[in-house]
Each structure stands twice: as C-alpha cells, then as structure tokens.
C-alpha cells in the first residue's frame, strides 16, 4: 500500500518537471548543497553512508570481500595521494583518462567522447566543484536514467593499492574528476564490479539521454562515412569494437595492435588528398591511453609524407596517447561494430537540424499480469503492455513511394536496473518488440488490450531484429502513415522486469498506452419482493431462521455448502471476510445482514460470476489463470489498467498463477465495493476524491 502511494506522489512530481536535467531527482534523497553546507558548518569532510568506503562498494564476486583482488585496498582522499589535488585541470579532455583494474573500457570510451562537447560535459559534471573553494569532501554528478535525470552524491574516498588509484584515473596524477565520475556511476549501479562488461552506448545514453543505433561494419550502408561525419559535427557520441569469437580472445591484441573485445571511441573523421585522390580517415581512441594501431596512417606511418604538410601537422600528433588515425577502408575491415548515440537523431538523415518528436513510455512486465513473452506463446502474448502511435504526417524527404509516403522512427526498448541486480544473480532479459498496423475498425479502441484473436489474425509490419539480452534494442524504421500498435516483450513469459520505450519521430506523432483506462459497469440485477418466486422465499426463510436476516457466518455456511457439491469448479471455500464484504456491498439499511431482496440480488450476482468463470475456464481445469483473468474482468464489466491487473494477480492468484472460484468472487465483490465507494465520494463527478485522514481510514477499513 505504501509503495503504491509513493508512486502516485512521484508521478505528480514528474508532471511538475521533476527529472529534467535542470531539476534532477536527488538519488537516495541526498541533496548535494544541503550536505556540503552541513559539512562546511561542522568543519568535517563528508562520509557517504549510502555508499560507504568498504568492501560492499567494490563488488560481490570477483571484487568481493574475500577476493584476492581486493586484498590490500585502502580508501584514500585525493589530498592523501597528492599535495595539490585538482578536480579538473586546464579543461577535461579525452586524453585525461586511463583505465584501471576494472573491465569497464566501455564506460571509459563513453567518457572520452563526452569530453568532446563542453555543453554535454557540463550537464554530467556540474560546474563549481573544487578541492579548494567550498571543499567538503563531497562531489556530485548527473546521469540520465530511464527517462529522468538523477543527481548522485559521492564522497571523495577512492580505492587505492600501493598508493595508486585502483580504477579509472587521469593522465595527470593530480586530476580527479574522472575517478569521481566513475565512483558516482558505480554507486548508481550498486558497486564498482557492476560496471564490468557493457556496451559503449549504455554510457553514451546515460550521459546524454540520447538514443542509440548500431551498425555492423561488414554490412555498412554506402553512406556510413557521411553519417559518421555528420554525427560528429552534431555532437553525437560514437564507439567501435572488434567482436570476439571466444572468451580466450578477450582483450587479445592483433598483429596491428588492435584490441579485441575492447571499446574504442571514434573522435574524428577527415578526408585528405593522398596521391591525388581523396582518402577517408577515421580517428580512434583506445581508453587505455596506449596500444595503438600500427598499420597505414598510424603515427609516423609513411602515408603522412604524401599529404599537404599543413594538414599533416594538424592531424598527425605522433604521441603514444592511445589515439590514432586509420583509413576508412581499414576501419571497416578491422572493426566489427559502430555504435552512435544521437543527441538529435534526425541530424543523421536531414540537412536541417531540428528536434524530433519524442514519446517515452514507462512500463513493466509482471508475472501473471503483463509478462506475456513473445509470439511463440500465443496464450499469453496478447497480455503484454500495448502502446498505440499515430503517424499523420510523412517526412519531408521520405523514402517511400509518391503514392505511399513514409515516416521515419527511431525506436528503443530499454530494460531498467538490470546492472544493479547482477549482485542477486539476475542477468539481462532477452527483449524485443513488434509493431502491428491497426485496422480502421479498431482505431478508436483504447480502453482495453487488443485480444488474442487480433494477434492470431495479424502479422507484425516491423519488429526488432532478434530478441537479445542487451540493455536496449533499437532500430530505425520507415513506416507508411497510419496507426500502429507497439508490443514490447521478453522472449519467455512470466519474466518480471521494468522497461522504458522511446519513440523518436521526424514529425510529431500522437501516442498513448492501450488499456490505461479504469471504469466499471458491473452486473446489477434489479430485484423486487414481488419478483421473487415462492420456492426461493421458502428456501430463504429456512436458511435465515426466525429473524429472516442472514448474517456473515450464516452466509459463509450457505455458500460453502453449495460449493462443496460442485465438481466442475475448484474452491477452498469462502472466508468470513469475503462474506462480510458481500453483505457490506448489498446491505442497504445498515443492519449488517441480508434481507430477502438483498440475498436474492447477491445470489444472482454469484450466478453471473459462475457463468463468467466457467466461460473463461477454457481448459475446464476448474480454475482460471491470471492471464485469463483479463477476459473475466472484461466480461464482468470492469476496465482496468496494467497496474490494477498486476495488483489483482498479486492478491488473488496462487504461486502457480491460478485463481479458484472463491478468490474470483472475492475479487469481483471487492472491485464493486471500491467502485461504489468512489462514486459516492466523488460528489462533483470529476474522477477525483479528497478525504480527511479519518475518512480515508474508514474507507480503507471497510
């Protein structure tokens, strides 16, 4: 209950601007300015209790407390390492950064690219931080996380061994911004070890809020060099790597000094005149700060002798700093993958720089409610979250035919918080999405999920390439104008996870979540005394006794006696709480019992529930599963969103995700009670209820 209330308060704050870069969420509710002020007033240096300088911050397995790799580690502040520490000295540059004893070269490659754009860097590394003015042992950084910016506070105690920083460090021994940035990112993800292994685009996106694309260099489009140049001019972040075929090849160095399975940054793209013809070059940086390409166009390679001396002076730095030039043709041959994080994705396809329309959905896959798996599981696939997007306006330079103009989309499905869950043995889920064209007769249907029948009759018009266990799957799509349904899913059903779905469109697109409505029109039998036959009246008198009123205990006995005689439905019997709620729903005169008309009304409701229950129980098992519950609720007149569906699965389904008859009836009665209560309290009929604490307690205790 408390978690639901917290989420509601949070959603309201987001609508008011919380989570933007200018109003970032305070991670773990730590406010940098408040904490720094407290430390300055008390004359103490900040110690972060939320990410203490102890073994748990390092890791859990390879960097766990009993690992040989963590023996002898001492946490020290920069002032204990050098006499004059600096946060940033003479500007942050890509050559500042050196990798330490942590397999996070993907992150370092992203940080190196980050330094190429001062405006982007300032968003991640807030200004006015120093080891001199206002120093209190506390620093902060901002990261984009699944649709919102978060501000992460750290102290400046860093892990060292033999007097040297253990992990990321600066080329300049007295500069510490990059080491502290790595620590803040480790805190955000749970530990330093959680940063081991990853894709450069993950860092790119968390530093910018941009959306990424990936290119297989063996199948590169003919204009990829122009795309690279344009992306660099637009401030996009680029990374490249060489795939490995076995674990033994990890960080293996080729004969030309390229490192396999290693993340590099792409930092430049220039054309030179070589022997009278244009030669395309790519500049690449190894975050190790050393080990450079030794082939054509490497430092001091003979090719430099045959270009214009002024151009050579500008490009060929001849330093063993990890940065080197390579011809574009060799780049395609030697490297496997190029990743681009687009800050404004449309700049890659249009000569005019303008912002794309962006839609972001946050959702979840919940076992028994919305974790339907892929199309291989038709019985549950349709219960996955569903989102609708309407494309009314084609691109200015569309790629479709004149008769069927197209709209460009960049779509990314990202799973949340999986890196933090490494500690619990949880890995990345295999995720993907499919897109369906919505026929005209269904275009106005937004209150309930499209059914299993829809997916059995319709095939996707587009989809992510494969289900893959990456943090994000993304692709660039070209679709004709129209309405489309997007279905994100895990490969297997019943896998819990959270996600955000982003849709970038060159023209503004209208989007909404399907099944995000809440409404009720339950079965309400109209019963009058004169309508009740004599046989039922006689039965009621026999069951109710002399007072002609049925109490909760008597109702429990009656219903369970009836249930015990039925072999076609499974039930543990109605409990006394459900029976009391049945009476509360139908007790019109406040006696706490049921009279003849009230009992007849309840009896007709239960008969209706039984009819629905048996209709939905398609395998005649005597129970319904949590996914079938969607159909049952619809038959009973309830329109509920995914959050409520998940809550119902949690409360009424057993560990095997089945719901027996008494649980089903209890759910129906509870829903009717809640809707009826809300309608009574919503006097202005605005869909909003305001209560005092006492009123709220009375409602919740019913």
């Amino acid at each position: 209950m408390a978690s639901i209330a917290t989420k509601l308060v949070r959603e309201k704050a987001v609508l008011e601007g919380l989570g933007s870069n200018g109003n970032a969420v305070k991670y773990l509710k730590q406010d940098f300015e408040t904490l720094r002020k407290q430390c300055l007033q008390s004359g103490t240096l900040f110690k972060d209790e939320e990410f203490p300088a102890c073994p748990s911050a390092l890791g859990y397995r390879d960097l766990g407390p009993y690992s040989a790799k963590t023996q002898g580690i001492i946490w020290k502040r920069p002032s204990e390492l050098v006499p004059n520490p600096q946060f940033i000295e003479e500007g942050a540059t890509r050559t500042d950064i050196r990798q330490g004893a942590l397999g996070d070269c993907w992150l370092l490659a992203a940080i190196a690219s980050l330094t190429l754009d001062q405006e982007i860097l300032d968003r991640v590394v807030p200004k006015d931080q120093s080891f001199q003015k206002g120093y209190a042992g506390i620093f902060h950084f901002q990261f984009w996380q699944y649709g919102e910016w978060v501000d992460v506070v750290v102290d400046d105690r860093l892990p060292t061994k033999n007097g040297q920083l253990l992990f990321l460090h600066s080329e300049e021994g007295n500069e510490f911004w990059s080491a502290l940035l790595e620590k803040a990112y480790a805190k955000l993800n749970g530990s330093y070890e959680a940063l081991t292994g990853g894709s450069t685009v993950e860092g790119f996106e968390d530093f910018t809020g941009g959306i990424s694309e990936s290119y297989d260099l063996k199948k590169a489009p003919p204009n990829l060099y122009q795309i690279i140049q344009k992306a660099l001019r637009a401030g996009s972040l680029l990374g490249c790597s060489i795939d490995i075929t076995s674990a033994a090849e990890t960080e293996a160095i080729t004969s030309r000094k390229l490192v396999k399975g290693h993340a590099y940054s792409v930092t430049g793209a220039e054309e030179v005149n070589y022997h009278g013809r244009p030669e395309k070059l790519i500049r690449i940086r190894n975050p190790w700060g050393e080990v450079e390409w030794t082939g054509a166009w490497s430092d001091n390679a003979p090719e430099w002798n045959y270009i214009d001396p002024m151009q050579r002076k500008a490009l060929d730095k001849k330093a063993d700093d990890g940065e080197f030039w390579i011809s574009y043709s060799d780049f395609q041959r030697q490297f496997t993958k190029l990743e681009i994080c687009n800050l404004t994705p449309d700049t890659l396809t249009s000569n005019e720089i303008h912002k794309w329309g962006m839609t972001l959905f946050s959702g979840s896959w919940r076992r028994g409610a919305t974790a339907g798996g892929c199309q291989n599981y038709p019985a549950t696939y349709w219960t996955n979250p569903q989102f609708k997007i309407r494309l009314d306006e084609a691109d200015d330079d569309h790629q479709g035919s004149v008769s069927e103009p197209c709209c460009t989309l960049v779509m990314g499905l990202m799973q949340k918080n999986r890196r933090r869950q490494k500690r619990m043995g949880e890995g990345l889920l295999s995720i993907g999405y499919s897109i369906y064209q919505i026929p005209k007769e269904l275009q106005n249907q937004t209150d309930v999920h499209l059914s299993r029948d829809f997916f059995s009759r319709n095939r996707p018009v587009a989809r992510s390439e494969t289900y893959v266990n990456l943090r994000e799957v993304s692709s660039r799509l070209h679709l004709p104008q129209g309405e489309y349904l997007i279905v994100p899913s895990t490969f297997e059903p019943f896998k819990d996870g959270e996600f955000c779905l982003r849709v970038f469109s060159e023209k503004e697109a209208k989007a909404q979540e399907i099944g995000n409505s809440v409404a009720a029109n339950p079965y309400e039998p109209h019963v009058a005394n004169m309508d009740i036959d004599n046989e039922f009246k006689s039965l009621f008198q026999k069951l109710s006794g002399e007072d002609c009123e049925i109490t909760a205990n008597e109702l429990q006995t009656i219903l369970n006696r009836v249930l015990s005689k039925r072999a076609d439905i499974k039930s543990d019997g109605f409990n006394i709480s459900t029976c009391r709620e049945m009476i509360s729903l139908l007790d019109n005169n406040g006696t706490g019992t049921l009279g003849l008309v009230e009992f007849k009304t309840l009896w007709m409701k239960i008969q209706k529930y039984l009819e629905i229950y048996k209709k939905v129980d398609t395998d005649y098992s005597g129970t319904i599963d949590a996914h079938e519950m969607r159909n049952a609720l619809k038959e009973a007149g309830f329109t509920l969103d995914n959050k409520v569906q998940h809550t119902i699965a949690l409360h009424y389904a057993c560990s095997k995700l089945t719901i027996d008859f008494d649980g089903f009836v209890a759910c129906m009665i509870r829903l009717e009670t809640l809707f009826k209560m809300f309608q009574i309290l919503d006097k202005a009929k605005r869909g909003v209820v305001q209560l005092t604490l006492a009123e709220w307690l009375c409602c919740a205790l019913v």
Side-chain angles (χ1 to χ4, degrees), residues 22-33:
N23 185 21
V25 175
K26 309 300 181 187
Y27 185 62
L28 300 178
K29 299 181 180 179
Q30 292 178 297
D31 183 87
F32 170 73
E33 293 295 347

Side-chain angles (χ1 to χ4, degrees), residues 145-353:
Q145 288 284 281
Y146 317 117
E148 66 181 16
W149 285 86
V150 294
D151 190 271
V152 182
V153 166
V154 289
D155 64 34
D156 62 349
R157 294 177 293 176
L158 296 166
T160 70
K161 186 176 281 191
N162 301 321
Q164 301 292 321
L165 289 178
L166 185 63
F167 302 133
L168 193 158
H169 54 280
S170 175
E171 168 83 2
E172 304 296 331
N174 66 332
E175 187 179 58
F176 290 91
W177 72 271
S178 57
L180 291 166
L181 171 62
E182 182 188 46
K183 181 176 183 179
Y185 200 62
K187 177 179 177 178
L188 186 64
N189 287 282
S191 68
Y192 278 96
E193 186 174 354
L195 304 184
T196 302
S199 169
T200 305
V201 296
E202 185 174 343
F204 285 171
E205 292 183 332
D206 287 353
F207 295 152
T208 67
I211 196 167
S212 64
E213 295 178 87
S214 183
Y215 291 92
D216 181 346
L217 292 173
K218 302 298 182 279
K219 303 174 184 176
N223 63 334
L224 182 60
Y225 189 75
Q226 287 71 35
I227 288 175
I228 293 171
Q229 286 185 311
K230 209 169 193 181
L232 287 166
R233 286 198 300 269
S236 300
L237 306 182
L238 292 83
C240 60
S241 59
I242 304 170
D243 284 352
I244 59 174
T245 55
S246 67
E249 284 190 317
T250 303
E251 296 192 347
I253 300 174
T254 70
S255 60
R256 295 290 187 180
K257 300 295 184 187
L258 294 177
V259 186
K260 294 185 175 182
H262 185 60
Y264 288 82
S265 307
V266 176
T267 61
E270 298 285 346
E271 283 194 39
V272 298
N273 191 310
Y274 177 64
H275 286 312
R277 60 178 175 78
E279 179 78 44
K280 296 180 176 69
L281 302 180
I282 298 285
R283 187 175 65 204
I284 297 174
R285 171 163 169 73
N286 181 349
W288 284 351
E290 53 189 19
V291 186
E292 296 183 11
W293 162 252
T294 58
W297 300 100
S298 59
D299 292 357
N300 296 314
E303 289 79 10
W304 292 106
N305 297 323
Y306 299 97
I307 70 167
D308 179 84
M310 293 295 291
Q311 202 169 22
R312 173 179 180 173
K313 184 178 180 181
L315 300 180
D316 185 22
K317 299 302 183 184
K318 303 178 186 176
D320 187 23
D321 57 2
E323 192 164 62
F324 56 87
W325 290 95
I326 185 173
S327 72
Y328 179 61
S329 56
D330 277 337
F331 172 69
Q332 285 189 289
R333 280 192 292 267
Q334 299 291 335
F335 287 86
T336 312
K337 184 173 21 175
L338 172 71
E339 296 170 315
I340 302 176
C341 180
N342 305 300
L343 310 184
T344 50
D346 54 312
T347 61
L348 298 180
T349 56
S350 170
N351 289 323
E352 287 188 351
I353 297 177

Side-chain angles (χ1 to χ4, degrees), residues 8 17 76 116 168 175-176 279 371 401 419 457 499 578 618 633 658:
L8 292 173
K76 292 186 176 182
L116 299 176
L168 193 158
E175 187 179 58
F176 290 91
E279 179 78 44
S401 65
R419 193 174 284 278
R457 295 193 309 265
F499 66 84
T578 299
T618 53
L633 288 163
T658 59

Side-chain angles (χ1 to χ4, degrees), residues 483-547:
E483 285 198 5
Y484 296 89
L485 185 76
I486 307 167
V487 182
S489 72
T490 58
F491 180 74
E492 295 178 312
F494 313 123
K495 298 290 184 182
D496 286 326
E498 294 181 288
F499 66 84
C500 65
L501 176 69
R502 293 183 292 164
V503 182
F504 282 65
S505 52
E506 187 155 314
K507 297 290 185 176
E508 200 67 35
K510 296 177 181 176
Q512 67 182 111
E513 184 173 357
I514 297 288
N516 202 27
S517 304
V518 177
N521 184 26
Y523 171 61
E524 291 290 357
H526 298 287
V527 181
N529 202 319
M530 64 186 71
D531 298 327
I532 303 174
D533 60 69
N534 291 329
E535 185 179 349
F536 191 89
K537 288 180 180 178
S538 175
L539 175 63
F540 176 77
Q541 290 171 353
K542 181 179 178 182
L543 294 172
S544 60
E546 292 181 3
D547 60 358

Side-chain angles (χ1 to χ4, degrees), residues 48-203:
D48 188 3
E49 299 301 327
E50 297 290 351
F51 196 59
C54 66
S56 64
L58 295 173
Y60 43 87
R61 190 174 56 243
D62 293 344
L63 293 178
Y66 305 107
S67 168
K69 294 180 180 179
T70 59
Q71 304 309 305
I73 289 177
I74 301 173
W75 295 78
K76 292 186 176 182
R77 298 187 189 268
S79 58
E80 299 175 89
L81 296 170
V82 296
N84 185 29
Q86 300 293 316
F87 186 62
I88 296 178
E89 187 171 42
E90 297 180 0
T93 67
R94 63 185 182 279
T95 55
D96 285 343
I97 306 157
R98 294 289 181 269
Q99 187 175 354
L102 190 64
D104 62 349
C105 59
W106 61 276
L107 177 62
L108 274 65
I111 295 173
S113 293
L114 178 68
T115 63
L116 299 176
D117 190 308
Q118 188 63 43
E119 187 176 344
I120 300 172
L121 181 67
D122 290 343
R123 287 158 65 93
V124 178
V125 186
K127 291 182 176 181
D128 302 324
Q129 301 192 83
S130 168
F131 283 97
Q132 287 76 40
K133 183 181 177 182
Y135 172 69
I138 183 172
F139 295 86
H140 69 130
F141 301 86
Q142 294 195 355
F143 305 103
W144 181 89
Q145 288 284 281
Y146 317 117
E148 66 181 16
W149 285 86
V150 294
D151 190 271
V152 182
V153 166
V154 289
D155 64 34
D156 62 349
R157 294 177 293 176
L158 296 166
T160 70
K161 186 176 281 191
N162 301 321
Q164 301 292 321
L165 289 178
L166 185 63
F167 302 133
L168 193 158
H169 54 280
S170 175
E171 168 83 2
E172 304 296 331
N174 66 332
E175 187 179 58
F176 290 91
W177 72 271
S178 57
L180 291 166
L181 171 62
E182 182 188 46
K183 181 176 183 179
Y185 200 62
K187 177 179 177 178
L188 186 64
N189 287 282
S191 68
Y192 278 96
E193 186 174 354
L195 304 184
T196 302
S199 169
T200 305
V201 296
E202 185 174 343

